Amino acid sequence: MKVVTVGTGMAAAEFVERLRLDGFTGEIVMCGDEEFAPYSPCVIPFYLAGEPLETVYWKGSDFYGRYRVTPRLADPVVEVDAERRLVRTVTGRSERYDRLFYAAGARSWYPRPDWLDTRGVFGFKTLSDMVAIDRYIREHNVSEAVVFGGGFIGVDAALALWHRGLAITLVHRNTRVLSQMTDEEGGQFATGKLVEKTGMDIRLRTTVADIVTTGGELSAVRFSDGTTRETKLLIVAIGVSPNSEPLRGDDKGVPSDRQMLAETGIYAAGDVAVTPHAVTGEAGVYATYPNAMRQARTAARHLLHGDGSYAGSVNTNVLKKHIDFPIVSAGSFTGEPVTWQRGDVWRRVYLKDGMINGYIIIGDTKMSGYVYQLYVSRQRVDGTIRTILSSPRHDAYYRQ
């Protein structure tokens, strides 16, 4: 049997490793957009912040050799022909398969793709992005940057560059940063604390309207409020979409069943997979590391043994990088809010039918693991949650 993966990211690497460790001896080919060994997107901002490149290769830079894989790198797959069981790449290469593992991930979305033709304008999604940004900062002696986008990736970018020593201006169209992983009050609390702890210039209800170039190189950024900031570096991080077109013809993701099968002979996992939520049952793309790992393991087990079932995804978000100020959230911010706050720590859960419907924990990770278990186990906590939130116990540590 020949197995081909579309993607060389975390889900694909976990899938391949599980196959080999469980005795699979057939041919494996991994097709990837980039030239690298499998790496962790969770860790690559640490490289940009100053850590060694080797740290991003979460299963080792020798992965392909160690797991007897034929890599087809820097040649993106542009079409999956399920009827003929082959994939085609942008260079015209065809690769046949008996089983396909589709984990093509997500790509950045840009309001003005032509901006990327300007030296000094970058996305912030891939290791290729990080290597290019690192080289550009060193070669041009960059001391300040503008980050367009205040979601998870944008704040991640801003903190990595701030940790490296750059002065940061972050612009975000919403009323608060991290608006997808916080409610209004929690997001405003987090925004204020980030400004206080880093000194970043965070401009809300603002976008990048245009860029100014000199000889093909970025020289300034114009904001929607009419002001201009001179800078050599602009990071655009305002959204991503699943890279599902080669298989589905659109960017809405790949629906998968409980065995992670998208269709006969094709598994899907990671940032491209549409799966049910473990608590609500609502189908969606829940792009987190734990979900991707469980999906890959489910697919590997089903391919080898014909059994195994994915229990569903949880939309947990954890930001704890470059600064001692973690932000953790999960679930839906609807229902009855219960809040506890002291100093730099802010905790809130939303209750529905006496159970946790969603939660936000800002400023530390105490209790986040415990609250997560209460959330997914569907325990009634309406009589005890106020005491729980004010407790100093239940430490948990995240680095994602």
Side-chain angles (χ1 to χ4, degrees):
M1 180 187 296
K2 178 180 178 180
V3 173
V4 172
T5 75
V6 177
T8 59
M10 299 180 78
E14 181 71 11
F15 174 76
V16 168
E17 182 179 61
R18 292 285 166 163
L19 290 182
R20 289 302 194 209
L21 292 179
D22 211 14
F24 180 74
T25 59
E27 182 182 359
I28 299 178
V29 176
M30 299 182 75
C31 303
D33 297 2
E34 298 180 88
E35 61 183 359
F36 307 105
Y39 62 83
S40 168
C42 304
V43 175
I44 55 177
F46 288 102
Y47 160 68
L48 191 60
E51 294 192 11
L53 180 62
E54 187 66 25
T55 62
V56 310
Y57 299 120
W58 70 309
K59 292 183 183 294
S61 58
D62 62 345
F63 179 88
Y64 299 124
R66 191 153 38 89
Y67 289 103
R68 307 185 308 283
V69 169
T70 301
R72 307 292 191 201
L73 305 180
D75 191 11
V77 169
V78 295
E79 181 186 1
V80 176
D81 187 335
E83 183 176 347
R84 298 177 63 188
R85 293 206 171 194
L86 61 82
V87 299
R88 297 185 181 91
T89 69
V90 71
T91 64
R93 178 191 296 273
S94 294
E95 196 74 55
R96 294 191 176 276
Y97 65 84
D98 296 304
R99 298 291 185 273
L100 183 70
F101 184 78
Y102 193 88
R107 66 182 184 278
S108 296
W109 180 84
Y110 302 104
R112 290 279 303 276
D114 57 296
W115 287 352
L116 296 175
D117 295 331
T118 299
R119 293 190 299 276
V121 181
F122 300 91
F124 198 87
K125 186 70 172 68
T126 66
L127 183 53
S128 296
D129 291 334
M130 305 302 148
V131 170
I133 295 168
D134 173 67
R135 182 185 304 115
Y136 184 82
I137 289 173
R138 287 185 286 103
E139 291 178 350
H140 292 77
N141 196 28
V142 176
S143 60
E144 63 179 84
V146 172
V147 177
F148 182 16
F152 187 98
I153 296 175
V155 172
D156 204 3
L159 288 173
L161 295 171
W162 167 81
H163 188 271
R164 185 168 176 146
L166 276 65
I168 303 299
T169 299
L170 187 151
V171 296
H172 188 46
R173 69 177 70 245
N174 213 304
T175 58
R176 63 202 189 274
V177 299
L178 302 171
S179 45
Q180 295 298 308
M181 63 179 291
T182 63
D183 61 7
E184 184 70 31
E185 188 178 353
Q188 291 185 358
F189 178 85
T191 301
K193 290 297 179 180
L194 285 172
V195 171
E196 176 185 316
K197 292 176 179 295
T198 66
M200 284 192 289
D201 178 10
I202 297 181
R203 303 187 181 191
L204 302 173
R205 300 184 179 90
T206 306
T207 64
V208 173
D210 207 350
I211 62 174
V212 181
T213 64
T214 303
E217 192 165 292
L218 181 71
S219 57
V221 172
R222 292 182 181 140
F223 301 125
S224 57
D225 61 6
T227 62
T228 300
R229 170 61 60 89
E230 292 185 1
T231 184
K232 295 179 180 179
L233 177 60
L234 170 64
I235 304 296
V236 182
I238 61 172
V240 298
S241 57
N243 191 24
S244 51
E245 287 95 333
L247 179 59
R248 299 283 298 181
D250 58 41
D251 64 353
K252 301 183 184 303
V254 180
S256 307
D257 66 14
R258 291 289 185 175
Q259 286 68 51
M260 302 312 304
L261 281 166
E263 53 186 277
T264 303
I266 301 177
Y267 298 91
D271 292 6
V272 75
V274 176
T275 59
H277 193 281
V279 175
T280 68
E282 182 179 356
V285 176
Y286 302 103
T288 72
Y289 163 77
N291 292 335
M293 295 302 96
R294 288 192 291 267
Q295 292 162 9
R297 293 164 192 162
T298 300
R301 180 167 184 82
H302 185 263
L303 187 152
L304 289 175
H305 306 291
D307 61 4
S309 180
Y310 183 61
S313 301
V314 179
N315 59 324
T316 307
N317 291 289
V318 182
L319 183 69
K320 192 184 191 304
K321 295 177 182 174
H322 323 298
I323 184 174
D324 188 20
F325 188 69
I327 301 169
V328 183
S329 70
S332 173
F333 309 140
T334 57
E336 176 194 354
V338 179
T339 309
W340 180 91
Q341 190 259 319
R342 181 176 296 168
D344 288 351
V345 180
W346 191 93
R347 302 168 181 163
R348 172 174 288 174
V349 302
Y350 282 88
L351 298 182
K352 186 175 182 180
D353 300 326
M355 296 175 285
I356 296 174
N357 197 41
Y359 63 88
I360 307 165
I361 299 176
I362 300 172
D364 70 3
T365 52
K366 291 178 180 177
M367 167 116 30
S368 56
Y370 184 55
V371 172
Y372 172 83
Q373 291 301 326
L374 293 174
Y375 168 59
V376 298
S377 63
R378 313 311 296 145
Q379 298 182 46
R380 286 193 68 103
V381 296
D382 44 332
T384 58
I385 192 61
R386 288 167 178 81
T387 300
I388 290 170
L389 290 181
S390 62
S391 171
R393 299 175 299 167
H394 310 299
D395 283 342
Y397 178 78
Y398 291 87
R399 172 172 167 162
Q400 283 191 24

